[in-house]
Amino acid sequence: MAAASVAAGAGAYEEMLRVVEACAVRIRWRLRPGSKRRLLNDILFLCTGLRPVVLVDYGGTMPQLQENLCSLLHHAQQLLTDIEANDTVLELVSIQERFSAKYPVDTAVDMHVIQPGVTKQMSRLPERTIDVECTDNHVDNRTLLVVDLSAFLETTQIALPSLNGWLLGYPVTYLFRNGSAEAAIQNLSKHSLHIYRVYVCGSCQSGAKQSEEELMSFSVPCYVSMKRDQEPWAKSFIARMSEKLRRCNQVWASIRLEVEVFQSQSQVIVL
């Protein structure tokens, strides 16, 4: 009975990924095999709770990348609304509702909202307004897909890579100000780094071969991570991630941390 339950749970996620693939074909989003696999993995990481946020920096350039993502989400939502008995769908809707309650779209907030079909970008926002331009009149305003937070960052001094590291769930991230970003990169280029790569292995279903996927990677200067994977923060991080895997063991079977040394002598830095 337990095995059947696990298989049924995994099947729901497999169905979800098939829907996403079908939507990508429908909107004619031509992704290379590697990029397509990353997109499907990232969606699975999000829906199984392994990552709070993912960075989609593949599959094209802005603004076309954003348009494709918006359209993909919109079409996936229209296909999934008919599958009300799907527990995964119900959980996704619940998460969306909680997120909307926490960050409501209100006319008293300076927020740039973008929906599928947006044809114009605004560099600056007028005070106390929301700008919404959509060529698809059938899209409900309550199903906003992308919220552009760049307006909130205009007056802050924290550099975007620092904010990204925190949002992406890295256990260690670099904190520096906008004005010192170039100096920080130059400083890092003079030091050796430990590159931490976190891999998860999928549960074996229906005799299929287990696959290992990279969940995330980040760097830490060697001189502050001498114990490598035995650093207290690293052990605590893996313990937290192992607990998340336990809660979705119908999809993921194990987690592994790999640490390699990167002799940095260039401007290529893994933040």
Side-chain angles (χ1 to χ4, degrees):
M1 183 67 70
S5 177
V6 169
Y13 288 106
E14 292 174 0
E15 179 185 1
M16 176 190 67
L17 295 181
R18 284 195 294 269
V19 168
V20 172
E21 285 192 88
C23 290
V25 173
R26 181 176 179 182
I27 66 174
R28 296 182 176 86
W29 191 5
R30 295 179 177 86
L31 287 165
R32 294 181 179 180
S35 296
K36 178 181 176 182
R37 181 171 180 173
R38 285 184 62 189
L39 176 64
L40 295 178
N41 282 337
D42 282 345
I43 291 174
L44 194 56
F45 294 154
L46 287 171
C47 292
T48 54
L50 294 190
R51 304 268 327 247
V53 176
V54 294
L55 178 63
V56 181
D57 58 351
Y58 46 87
T61 58
M62 296 291 282
Q64 189 60 44
L65 172 58
Q66 181 170 280
E67 283 287 324
N68 286 334
L69 279 173
C70 286
S71 186
L72 180 72
L73 290 172
H74 172 62
H75 284 291
Q77 186 180 50
Q78 302 303 310
L79 289 171
L80 289 175
T81 50
D82 297 329
I83 317 174
E84 295 183 359
N86 190 322
D87 291 338
T88 304
V89 175
L90 296 178
E91 184 176 0
L92 177 60
V93 172
S94 175
I95 292 172
Q96 290 175 335
E97 290 176 348
R98 292 201 300 270
F99 188 84
S100 297
K102 183 69 175 178
Y103 301 102
V105 178
D106 186 88
T107 55
V109 179
D110 293 337
M111 187 175 293
H112 187 196
V113 181
I114 305 169
Q115 291 182 336
V118 173
T119 58
K120 179 175 64 178
Q121 301 291 326
M122 294 184 62
S123 59
R124 296 192 61 83
L125 303 176
E127 292 186 359
R128 303 300 179 190
T129 61
I130 294 179
D131 180 80
V132 179
E133 180 178 353
C134 181
T135 58
D136 186 351
N137 295 327
H138 299 289
V139 179
D140 191 330
N141 285 338
R142 292 172 298 177
T143 59
L144 302 173
L145 298 177
V146 173
V147 177
D148 188 347
L149 299 179
S150 58
F152 296 105
L153 301 177
E154 291 180 355
T155 59
T156 63
Q157 293 300 316
I158 297 178
L160 186 59
S162 296
L163 180 62
N164 285 343
W166 173 67
L167 289 174
L168 292 168
Y170 298 158
V172 175
T173 187
Y174 301 101
L175 179 62
F176 51 89
R177 299 166 66 91
N178 282 320
S180 60
E182 183 177 351
I185 292 177
Q186 291 178 352
N187 182 52
L188 283 174
S189 69
K190 300 175 183 178
H191 299 278
S192 297
L193 305 174
H194 279 141
I195 308 298
Y196 287 78
R197 303 188 189 278
V198 184
Y199 297 92
V200 289
C201 187
S203 296
C204 186
Q205 302 295 334
S206 305
K209 183 180 178 180
Q210 285 185 319
S211 60
E212 191 175 61
E213 309 292 347
E214 184 174 317
L215 178 64
M216 67 174 74
S217 63
F218 54 92
S219 69
V220 183
C222 289
Y223 66 89
V224 294
S225 57
M226 300 296 291
K227 296 181 180 179
R228 298 166 66 93
D229 60 340
Q230 294 302 306
E231 290 285 343
W233 58 262
K235 295 169 68 174
S236 175
F237 171 72
I238 291 299
R240 293 196 306 272
M241 296 304 302
S242 297
E243 176 59 24
K244 291 182 178 181
L245 255 70
R246 187 189 64 79
R247 295 197 294 265
C248 55
N249 58 5
Q250 72 272 36
V251 179
W252 306 112
S254 61
I255 187 170
R256 179 175 66 88
L257 176 63
E258 180 179 286
V259 185
E260 62 179 285
V261 177
F262 178 71
Q263 301 292 343
S264 182
Q265 297 179 357
S266 69
Q267 298 297 322
V268 180
I269 301 296
V270 181
L271 295 176

